[in-house]
Amino acid sequence: MLKLKLNKSSLRLYAVTDRAWLGKQKLSEQVDMALRAGATFLQLREKNLDKEAFLQEAGEIKKVADQYKIPFVINDHPEIALACGADGVHVGQQDMEAGNVRALIGENKILGVSVQTVSEALKAEKQGADYLGVGAVFSTSTKLDADKVSLAVLKEICAAVSIPVVAIGGIDSSNLPELAGKGLAGVAVVSAIFGADDILEATANLRRLADEMIGE
């Protein structure tokens, strides 16, 4: 199967799931609202589900992503990505090395890698990453152990690599405009989408701001 086409516009508004705000809704219902309102990329992130439950949920979420023809990746678990037929996987610096993940998933899957320095970015690109996630660019409640990355370093990373870069970490409607002019392909958002009282309205607003930040 050919890799789902990935371009800069695919990464404009990158939604990362978090079940902390599920309430009475299913995650698939929240994802449907986010994609319907303008999210352009989706990452399923689960830290506490066992493998069987994770795989079942991944299958459900993939159906939603397929409906909207949105790229869908799994966080940290290449085996889940392969088993559910996801478009790819996203890994951090503390997970498997990018080169090993690429060897495992093959050339036809999307590989995203989290980085915080120019050297990490260049290494990830060399090892086969298709895009990079850089952060945390702002303080974030969803990953309390995340180190901050300055906006100056963010700009340096964008300039150093030829693959698309998204910023992540504490991004919401109030600070997203600060990321303009850094060379980003888009922004990755967790709580500003899935923790919102109105996911449809919040996502639509973030998409508008992301488009303005990119200059479109």
Side-chain angles (χ1 to χ4, degrees), residues 21-104:
W21 300 283
L22 277 186
K24 295 180 180 179
Q25 294 173 317
K26 293 178 61 178
L27 187 61
S28 59
E29 294 172 333
Q30 291 190 332
V31 166
D32 183 273
M33 287 188 284
L35 300 189
R36 194 187 334 154
T40 59
F41 199 101
L42 178 66
Q43 179 188 135
L44 177 61
R45 184 166 70 184
E46 289 290 358
K47 298 298 183 182
N48 300 311
L49 289 185
D50 61 41
K51 185 175 181 179
E52 183 178 354
F54 193 168
L55 183 55
Q56 180 177 350
E57 182 178 72
E60 294 175 1
I61 301 299
K62 182 180 184 299
K63 290 178 183 177
V64 181
D66 287 348
Q67 178 184 343
Y68 291 94
K69 296 181 172 58
I70 294 297
F72 170 52
V73 299
I74 302 291
N75 178 262
D76 288 353
H77 293 276
E79 73 282 3
I80 297 290
L82 291 170
C84 78
D87 298 302
V89 64
H90 186 97
V91 294
Q93 291 295 312
Q94 307 305 318
D95 306 310
M96 292 177 64
E97 213 173 56
N100 294 333
V101 178
R102 173 57 74 199
L104 181 63

Side-chain angles (χ1 to χ4, degrees), residues 135-166:
V137 292
F138 302 113
S139 298
T140 172
S141 62
T142 59
K143 201 168 185 181
L144 297 175
D145 61 343
D147 294 327
K148 288 281 292 293
V149 175
S150 72
L151 298 187
V153 170
L154 174 65
K155 189 172 183 177
E156 289 175 9
I157 291 172
C158 291
V161 298
S162 60
I163 55 178
V165 177
V166 296

